[in-house]
Amino acid sequence: MLRPRTLPCWIAAVVLLGGIAPAAVAGRSEPRIPIVRIGVAPEVVSASIGCSGSWIAGVLGRGVEPEEIPTGSIWTLTAEGDRLQVRDHLGRSRGGGADTLFFAPARSQAGRVELDGRMYRGEFIAFAAGGDRLSVVNVLDLESYLRGVLPAEIGGGKDRFEAIKAQAVAARSYTLAYLNRWKSRGFDLLATVSDQVYLGMAGERPDADRALKETCGIVALHDGWPIEAFYSSTCGGMTATPDEVWGRPARPYLRARRDSPGRGDAAFCEASPYHRWEEQWKGSELEKILRSSLVSVLGAKGPDRWGRLKSIRLERQSKSLRAAEVSIDFEHKSFSVGGDRIRWILRRPGGDPLRSALLLKVQQQRKGGRVTAVKVSGAGYGHGVGLCQMGAIGMAKAGHDYARILRFYYHDIRLMRAYTRWPD
């Protein structure tokens, strides 16, 4: 049994794993599942809203009686300045001038809301975002949100079930740690890799639902607060710390460590197709990529005056072997880049970011003082901070349970259940 620990004010009671609810003993009701706001269509030109059943729409916060909309109706939203414009499926204007609208099933379980053909649980809020653009936010409970996150982030499969459970706790903890992250934009989290990939109902799977139910309400805590539970696909044999990757403050629970049971043992993520990889560029091809990416990522000026690419070298590695410094030298301009930014600067030939900043070797061929070819050998996929998803899968296949997986990747954490109720 885990020892109890006081939680912060965002929760009124704690349920111990395998135990009972102190709140119930004290005569208090169990905490409700938190509500989250997910930016599913931020700052878009238009959006199409509907519902699988009948639905209601109304102006938020003005005391205006909401309107019930028949099943099958689709409304198209656009924005003019700071006001929304709405047309129904027949092209008729449904009024204008509101800055914020809400959309919900007419009866709580009668249907699901629809955005541009994709179904979601919960409700929508739409509002003008400025510059003739609008944002659509999916408002729903945390567990329903995670149903659309888990399969997109870690997939499914019987042999990885404990890894899926570990991912469920990590995703839940990340969400609670980052509530209000994008408050200035009107929502908590984005539905993309900038936070967590969220696909709505299209992403749901029975095995992920089972993992969520078995871990319902369980959160990873450090010093009583939900942890910033970062995770990525493949660490390449060594996890990283936030300071070496993003220059963010270190976290005691996010330590660089070997992704293996012991020194000399194979990495848990060794089965990943990205455990080791290589990329190659022609010199002229890489020079073109760098002229664009250095401008977009670093804000560098005057790329047409830099001259030819003379050299690219891996100068220093961090304690987790990520690139701490890569020197990029043109004839008349030099750059020094480190951390995760190197992924967005040293892009792959097709334009995608480099898989990882864990660069094992950078080799170049030069002729006449100009780079003619570059080959990079690397490891891993993603930033490498926190839980390694392929490593978690490897641990699950080796017989480790989800709690052991979480404690392997997040140092000195406590697992506590904040609520037990599954959404209706």
Side-chain angles (χ1 to χ4, degrees), residues 300-302 305-308 328-335:
K301 307 295 184 181
R305 300 190 296 272
W306 297 349
R308 295 179 174 182
I328 303 170
D329 298 321
F330 291 86
E331 289 178 303
H332 309 299
K333 187 74 171 179
S334 294
F335 299 90

Side-chain angles (χ1 to χ4, degrees), residues 130-356:
D132 293 339
R133 291 180 176 269
L134 62 100
S135 291
V136 181
V137 176
N138 187 197
V139 182
L140 73 170
D141 69 85
L142 174 56
E143 297 298 321
S144 295
Y145 160 62
L146 294 176
R147 294 180 71 178
V149 169
L150 238 58
E153 288 290 358
I154 200 168
K158 185 177 180 180
D159 59 349
R160 66 175 65 180
F161 186 63
E162 291 299 315
I164 300 174
K165 290 167 69 175
Q167 177 70 75
V169 176
R172 186 180 296 114
S173 304
Y174 177 95
T175 304
L176 291 172
Y178 278 96
L179 289 178
N180 284 323
R181 183 184 185 190
W182 304 104
K183 182 179 179 180
S184 63
R185 297 173 67 181
F187 45 84
D188 293 312
L189 300 175
L190 286 162
T192 68
V193 293
S194 294
D195 284 305
Q196 300 179 126
V197 177
Y198 169 57
L199 301 179
M201 295 184 69
E204 296 177 5
R205 290 177 54 117
D207 49 358
D209 285 354
R210 180 184 157 211
L212 284 166
K213 288 179 180 179
E214 291 190 11
T215 65
C216 183
I218 296 176
V219 182
L221 307 173
H222 183 84
D223 281 342
W225 292 92
I227 67 170
E228 297 174 51
F230 295 114
Y231 52 86
S232 61
S233 167
T234 306
C235 71
M238 177 72 77
T239 66
T241 58
D243 52 326
E244 64 180 311
V245 173
W246 302 303
R248 296 182 183 179
R251 295 287 184 263
Y253 50 83
L254 295 173
R255 296 185 179 182
R257 67 165 302 163
R258 294 182 182 277
D259 185 46
S260 62
R263 185 178 293 273
D265 294 327
F268 288 120
C269 67
E270 190 174 32
S272 169
Y274 308 113
H275 181 64
R276 295 290 183 270
W277 48 262
E278 291 183 348
E279 291 292 345
Q280 300 184 61
W281 300 261
K282 294 179 180 179
S284 57
E285 178 183 39
L286 181 58
E287 186 176 303
K288 181 178 179 181
I289 290 171
L290 291 173
R291 289 184 192 280
S292 174
S293 62
L294 287 165
V295 170
S296 61
V297 176
L298 299 185
K301 307 295 184 181
D304 54 327
R305 300 190 296 272
W306 297 349
R308 295 179 174 182
L309 179 63
K310 292 174 55 181
S311 177
I312 179 168
R313 302 180 308 278
L314 176 59
E315 303 284 9
R316 292 187 299 110
Q317 292 173 295
S318 67
K319 56 188 174 184
S320 73
L321 304 181
R322 266 82 186 166
E325 182 182 3
V326 174
S327 295
I328 303 170
D329 298 321
F330 291 86
E331 289 178 303
H332 309 299
K333 187 74 171 179
S334 294
F335 299 90
S336 179
V337 183
D340 206 53
R341 287 192 302 182
I342 194 62
R343 297 175 55 207
W344 311 95
I345 290 174
L346 196 60
R347 288 180 173 270
R348 288 183 270 168
D352 291 329
L354 204 61
R355 291 186 176 88
S356 169

